Amino acid sequence: MNFAVPKYLTTVTFFIGFMMLSTTGTSLVLFPPKDIAGMLRNDTESINSTSTDYGHIVREFPAAVFNPTSPNDIASLILFSNNNSDEPFVVAARGQGHSVRGQDLAPEGVVINMTALSSGSRIVVSESPSLGSYADVGGEQLWIDVLHATLDHGLTPVSWTDYLYLSVGGTLSNAGISGQTFRFGPQISNVYELDVVTGKGDFITCSSTKKPKLFYAVLGGLGQFGIITRARIALQPAPNRAKWVRLLYSNFSAFSSDQELLISTSGKMERDGFDYVEGLLLMQQGPLDLSFYPVADQPRIASLVNQYGIVYTIEVVKYYDDSTKDTVDKVVEKLTKRLSFVPGFMFEKDVSYEEFLDRVRNEEKMLQSLGLWDIAHPWMNLFVPKSRISDFDSGVFKDILLKQKVPAALTLIYPVNRDK
C-alpha cells in the first residue's frame, strides 16, 4: 500500500484563549472567537482519524478538527479563516470521508466534522401543494437514515447511490449516481432547495429560482462553492419489495444493446419498465464474486467465465407493492423475453425494497471481517459516449484487463440517458 508521506509531523498545543499550531520550521498562533474556540480539537485521535479518507492513498495531517453544533458555527469558522491576520487557512468539510484522493483532507488546516451536527431531528418529512412530498435533511445525515425516516411515512427518495452509508452533503457535492439515474437523473437532479455556507462565510438558502447560480454550482461542485448544511429532497411513494434479476452475456455487443434498449423503454414506460438498470463484469482472473447466485449454479457460471474470459452481467430490478404483486412476474417476463442473454443464465431474487437498496452493507461487513475494508481503494468513474463504448470494451476490458491479467475487482458498466 502506498501512502503520501508527510514532510513533517504536526504537534498541536492548546492554551487558554488561543491555539498554537507548531510544525517543523513554522509556528502559527490563532485566536479563534470564544463562540467556536471550544469546538476545535487537536488530540491525536481527532487528527489521525481525519488524516486520510476512504481511498487510503493520500495522507495529510490537519492542524485541528472542528466540531460544529450548528451551520452558524461553520460560517463563523470560515469567517475566522478569511479574517486571519496572516492568510486564510485551509478548511475542508468531511462527512463520511468517502473521497478517494484526499479531497476532504485539510493539510495544516481545519477539517469540519460534519457528523457533529447530527444531534436532534435533522430529517423532516413534509408536503406542499407545489412540491408534493419532500424531506428537509441535514447535510451530515446518512442516506440509510433518510431511507428509514421516509419509509416510516411510506415514502422514499427517487434516486440513490449504490452505498447508503454516505452523507447527503457528500453525494450531492458529487452527483449521486446509480441504477435509477437513467430514469430520474442523479441525486443532484432531485433536490428542490439547499442551505449553503459559502466561502465568504455567508449562510444562504438557494434553489432553481432563488440564487440559482449558487444552487447549480454547489450541486456537483465538489465542495468548492459552498458547504451543504441542508437539502430539500424529492420523495415519492415507496414500494414494498423488489424483483432483483441478473442476466449473463458472453457477447459485449448484445450486452450493451440490451442495456440501451432497457433504459430507452423503461425510461418512457415507468409502469411497465424496470426501475433500476446496471451492469458489471465477471472476469477470469478474478476475484470472482458469485455470492448472488444459487450455490448449485455457481460451478457452471464459473465455467462460463473461464470459457469466455469475461462475462457481462445486466442487473435489473422491478419494484412492486400489494397493488402490483400479482402482475410483477409477468412484467419481468415480458421485459426479459426480448433480451439476448445466454440461455439458462437468468437468476432472480425477491427481496424487500430496503434490503435491495442496502445490499452493499453486507459486502462491507464481510470485507471488514477479513481486514480488507481499510485498505487502498483506487476508484474511477468515467462517462463514455455510446459511440466509443465498444472501443472501450476491446481496448480496456479485453486488451488491458483480460490479456494482461490485471485483477479488476469490482467493475460496473451501465448506460444513462443524456437528457437526465
Side-chain angles (χ1 to χ4, degrees):
M1 188 186 307
N2 295 320
F3 287 102
V5 180
K7 296 179 180 179
Y8 47 78
L9 296 178
T10 302
T11 60
V12 185
T13 306
F14 268 106
F15 295 88
I16 296 175
F18 66 91
M19 176 187 284
M20 180 175 182
L21 310 177
S22 301
T23 67
T24 302
T26 64
S27 182
L28 175 66
V29 179
L30 299 176
F31 295 87
K34 290 182 180 179
D35 60 335
I36 63 170
M39 301 174 191
L40 289 160
R41 294 286 182 270
N42 64 345
D43 57 277
T44 301
E45 181 180 354
S46 296
I47 297 299
N48 287 339
S49 66
T50 54
S51 66
T52 189
D53 57 9
Y54 171 77
H56 287 287
I57 297 169
V58 177
R59 192 172 183 86
E60 296 281 3
F61 291 93
V65 178
F66 185 65
N67 295 287
T69 60
S70 73
N72 288 332
D73 296 333
I74 298 173
S76 295
L77 176 73
I78 294 176
L79 286 171
F80 171 50
S81 172
N82 290 339
N83 295 330
N84 184 40
S85 58
D86 294 323
E87 63 180 16
F89 50 83
V90 175
V91 175
R94 180 187 179 100
Q96 295 301 302
H98 212 74
S99 62
V100 295
R101 292 289 298 180
Q103 292 93 331
D104 62 4
L105 306 184
E108 302 181 72
V110 176
V111 171
I112 301 175
N113 174 22
M114 296 296 290
T115 64
L117 293 171
S118 296
S119 59
S121 176
R122 295 268 292 168
I123 304 174
V124 179
V125 176
S126 306
E127 188 171 345
S128 76
S130 59
L131 299 179
S133 299
Y134 62 87
D136 285 312
V137 181
E140 79 288 347
Q141 296 293 316
L142 300 184
W143 282 104
I144 184 67
D145 295 324
V146 176
L147 174 63
H148 292 157
T150 55
L151 284 179
D152 287 343
H153 296 266
L155 300 168
T156 177
V158 300
S159 191
W160 295 95
T161 55
D162 288 330
Y163 179 61
L164 302 187
Y165 289 78
L166 302 175
S167 68
V168 169
T171 66
L172 295 184
S173 294
N174 285 273
I177 294 173
S178 185
Q180 303 91 357
T181 301
F182 77 91
R183 172 175 289 167
F184 296 107
Q187 289 179 318
I188 59 174
S189 295
N190 296 279
V191 178
Y192 294 131
E193 186 179 272
L194 295 173
D195 284 344
V196 175
V197 180
T198 70
K200 292 183 178 180
D202 296 327
F203 181 81
I204 297 176
T205 298
C206 55
S207 68
S208 61
T209 58
K210 181 180 180 181
K211 298 190 179 297
K213 288 184 178 179
L214 178 64
F215 180 70
Y216 290 116
V218 170
L219 290 171
L222 301 177
Q224 300 305 297
F225 301 93
I227 297 172
I228 298 172
T229 61
R230 178 189 65 89
R232 179 165 290 178
I233 299 166
L235 302 178
Q236 68 176 10
N240 297 330
R241 299 194 64 80
K243 292 286 184 179
W244 185 5
V245 180
R246 287 188 181 180
L247 309 114
L248 307 189
Y249 290 72
S250 60
N251 179 276
F252 181 80
S253 178
F255 162 79
S256 58
S257 295
D258 280 356
Q259 278 192 323
E260 291 164 13
L261 174 65
L262 288 172
I263 71 164
S264 64
T265 55
S266 295
K268 295 175 181 176
M269 300 184 298
E270 186 171 334
R271 178 177 294 275
D272 296 325
F274 282 116
D275 300 290
Y276 165 103
V277 178
E278 279 199 14
L280 61 149
L281 305 186
L282 297 174
M283 303 198 71
Q284 189 177 49
Q285 65 268 35
L288 196 60
D289 180 9
L290 300 179
S291 58
F292 175 88
Y293 307 96
V295 174
D297 291 305
Q298 291 179 12
R300 67 189 187 97
I301 296 172
S303 177
L304 190 72
V305 174
N306 288 330
Q307 179 182 352
Y308 290 99
I310 302 178
V311 167
Y312 308 93
T313 305
I314 288 182
E315 181 175 58
V316 290
V317 170
K318 182 62 183 174
Y319 302 140
Y320 69 98
D321 53 26
D322 290 342
S323 66
T324 54
K325 65 181 181 181
D326 293 331
T327 59
V328 64
D329 287 327
K330 292 181 181 179
V331 171
V332 171
E333 181 182 2
K334 178 182 177 181
L335 290 170
T336 57
K337 187 188 222 178
R338 51 186 173 170
L339 303 181
S340 303
F341 57 92
V342 179
F345 284 86
M346 172 177 166
F347 304 91
E348 181 182 316
K349 287 184 177 181
D350 191 311
V351 298
S352 71
Y353 178 64
E354 181 181 348
E355 184 180 351
F356 170 70
L357 290 179
D358 197 24
R359 60 198 178 281
V360 178
R361 182 62 166 173
N362 289 331
E363 297 177 23
E364 176 192 2
K365 289 179 178 178
M366 178 192 71
L367 292 172
Q368 285 176 336
S369 68
L370 297 173
L372 297 176
W373 188 250
D374 294 322
I375 61 173
H377 291 113
W379 186 268
M380 180 182 292
N381 287 323
L382 297 173
F383 285 100
V384 181
K386 175 182 176 180
S387 61
R388 300 305 301 275
I389 195 64
S390 293
D391 295 335
F392 196 87
D393 170 60
S394 59
V396 177
F397 296 154
K398 292 186 173 76
D399 288 348
I400 297 177
L401 299 182
L402 185 61
K403 286 186 179 179
Q404 299 180 27
K405 298 182 179 179
V406 178
L410 177 64
T411 303
L412 303 178
I413 173 171
Y414 54 94
V416 295
N417 287 314
R418 186 183 294 270
D419 62 1
K420 296 297 183 180

